[in-house]
Amino acid sequence: MFRTTLTTAFVALTLTATAATAETRRENIEALNEVEALLICNMVADQEGATGRGSVRIVDYFTYECSYTVPAQRVITVEVMPLLHVAQARPVCRDAARDRNGTWTGDWNGNGAFAPGTCTIRVPAN
């Protein structure tokens, strides 16, 4: 495991190395028809940071398999201001992810009112 701590004026960033190759993801989605399935699949692919558009194939009635390719990513933990609840963590963590050209995973940790909180985000593995 590789750990590095970079400190700036307000934010300390801890990096943890993970997968370094592009990954094809597949997941089942429910839709009324192939057009709706493709729209949902492309929305999911976009949220996951896919490099292109998703594709679908029928699995069963109203069930489609959505597949898309996401670039190599790594997961990092970012220390931010103290976080007390999810309503406070949501905008802070999304901004921290956006500042690093990444996406927030939805994971956060509040360490009380006087200790910095942490957000877990996915960033490109450049």
Side-chain angles (χ1 to χ4, degrees):
M1 182 186 297
F2 172 73
R3 292 184 80 94
T4 299
T5 305
L6 303 171
T7 307
T8 63
F10 299 105
V11 178
L13 171 67
T14 305
L15 301 176
T16 305
T18 58
T21 60
E23 172 186 1
T24 299
R25 295 186 184 166
R26 291 180 173 81
E27 57 186 84
N28 288 340
I29 56 175
E30 293 182 2
L32 295 176
N33 55 43
E34 190 172 354
V35 173
E36 182 183 19
L38 190 56
L39 288 171
I40 294 169
C41 182
N42 285 329
M43 185 174 59
V44 170
D46 186 49
Q47 289 174 351
E48 292 296 320
T51 54
R53 304 187 59 79
S55 62
V56 295
R57 73 176 186 85
I58 191 161
V59 175
D60 200 2
Y61 292 109
F62 306 112
T63 304
Y64 295 84
E65 180 185 79
C66 170
S67 62
Y68 52 91
T69 303
V70 293
Q73 297 179 345
R74 66 176 186 250
V75 175
I76 61 174
T77 302
V78 180
E79 287 185 356
V80 293
M81 62 183 264
L83 301 173
L84 300 176
H85 46 79
V86 71
Q88 183 183 24
R90 193 174 292 124
V92 171
C93 292
R94 285 182 180 159
D95 287 344
R98 190 177 307 118
D99 291 345
R100 290 163 182 81
N101 197 23
T103 55
W104 179 42
T105 64
D107 295 334
W108 66 280
N109 194 3
N111 297 322
F114 301 107
T118 60
C119 301
T120 304
I121 62 175
R122 278 191 304 264
V123 295
N126 296 344

